[in-house]
Amino acid sequence: MMMDVDKTFVMIKPDAVRRNLIGKIITRFEEAGFKLINLKLITLSRELASKHYAEHKGKPFYNDLLAFITSGPSIAMLLQGEDVIKKVRKIVGATNPEEAQSGTIRGDFKEIPLKSVTENLIHASDSESSAKREIYLFFENNLE
Ligand SMILES: Nc1ncnc2c1ncn2[C@@H]1O[C@H](COP(=O)(O)OP(=O)(O)OP(=O)(O)O)[C@@H](O)[C@H]1O
Ligand SMILES: [Mg+2]
């Protein structure tokens, strides 16, 4: 059976950029065989951040999340490859770095002691529909 060639949206968050982890993180995706087909350095505006994380509005961590994600530059990128959405989520690891297994980005690069669940290094689209929405938001819409 042929696998779909998909695209996904990944963002290296401000904590990882501050800690000089951009190269190491991108290497993981290249070594997994995915193609980097677009990339930019971007400091999210409050408007773009609130659109990106709209599903979390009203949750207890929402204000911290917006403050963090707008706190400095991020690296926004598009990756392409077979089954890339699901495979990239696996490479990224669990949301809470404490629970992220070793071998995953969040597991291997987490700060010890852990600062917060919010500062978890990286974002990746969790489904085909969020990938489409996020690709549009970051690469086809000029909100930044
Ligand atoms: N319980 C929590 N406490 C603090 N921050 C949280 C918590 N849950 C989620 N977050 C923050 O909000 C982001 C979005 O949460 P979500 O549930 O979508 O996790 P995710 O899909 O693994 O992460 P992302 O969407 O950034 O790829 C998390 O990556 C993290 O930065
Ligand atoms: Mg998510």
Side-chain angles (χ1 to χ4, degrees):
M1 196 184 89
M2 279 276 289
M3 295 283 263
D4 270 353
V5 176
D6 311 315
K7 290 177 195 169
T8 197
F9 174 70
V10 172
M11 188 167 70
I12 302 175
K13 295 181 179 180
D15 55 337
V17 173
R18 278 192 283 271
R19 291 174 56 213
N20 292 348
L21 293 170
I22 298 169
K24 284 183 176 150
I25 290 173
I26 290 177
T27 295
R28 298 227 166 173
F29 298 121
E30 290 190 311
E31 287 182 343
F34 297 117
K35 289 291 169 208
L36 186 55
I37 58 169
N38 209 339
L39 175 149
K40 65 181 170 188
L41 185 133
I42 173 182
T43 301
L44 272 66
S45 65
R46 182 113 189 150
E47 185 186 6
L48 179 54
S50 60
K51 289 205 159 125
H52 176 59
Y53 280 130
E55 65 175 307
H56 299 300
K57 195 169 164 58
K59 293 187 185 169
F61 58 84
Y62 180 75
N63 286 332
D64 284 350
L65 177 58
L66 255 56
F68 162 61
I69 211 70
T70 59
S71 68
S74 293
I75 299 289
M77 41 187 180
L78 294 191
L79 291 174
Q80 187 173 57
E82 280 183 7
D83 211 13
V84 69
I85 299 172
K86 220 189 296 163
K87 287 180 180 162
V88 162
R89 290 283 292 188
K90 281 210 177 117
I91 292 169
V92 163
T95 304
N96 182 345
E98 209 86 82
E99 289 159 15
Q101 302 197 348
S102 65
T104 67
I105 290 169
R106 285 170 175 160
D108 292 348
F109 298 125
K110 68 184 165 207
E111 222 169 356
I112 300 169
L114 201 67
K115 259 201 191 151
S116 70
V117 177
T118 307
E119 300 201 17
N120 62 358
L121 304 158
I122 186 161
H123 162 82
S125 306
D126 63 7
S127 65
E128 211 171 301
S129 62
S130 35
K132 282 211 177 88
R133 195 182 73 86
E134 291 164 3
I135 290 167
Y136 174 78
L137 203 52
F138 282 84
F139 285 101
E140 289 156 32
N141 191 359
N142 277 318
L143 277 178
E144 69 249 44

